[in-house]
Amino acid sequence: MPDDSEIRIPQDDQRIDVTDLQEVDYWTKWFGVSEARLRTAVASAGTLKDDLRIYLGLP
């Protein structure tokens, strides 16, 4: 059984599911942003990883 402290890689690594708290944790670490910033970005740019990366100004 996996340790609860382990970060689970999302099944769909191209879309962010902000209803899944484990995914939110994963993506906040991936993008290096706060949960609030991630949720704001998703609300503005959608759930696609590449769109969020551009919205957040990341390379």
Side-chain angles (χ1 to χ4, degrees):
M1 184 161 113
D3 183 350
D4 286 343
S5 66
E6 290 181 22
I7 296 177
R8 179 180 52 87
I9 297 173
Q11 287 183 343
D12 182 352
D13 68 349
Q14 296 303 309
R15 291 189 180 273
I16 288 77
D17 178 3
V18 292
T19 65
D20 182 332
L21 295 179
Q22 288 182 329
E23 279 200 28
V24 169
D25 188 47
Y26 175 85
W27 290 113
T28 56
K29 288 176 177 52
W30 176 267
F31 288 122
V33 298
S34 68
E35 180 178 342
R37 180 75 173 127
L38 178 67
R39 289 183 184 280
T40 299
V42 168
S44 296
T47 61
L48 290 175
K49 178 175 76 174
D50 288 340
D51 292 344
L52 290 168
R53 183 182 50 76
I54 292 167
Y55 178 86
L56 294 167
L58 302 172

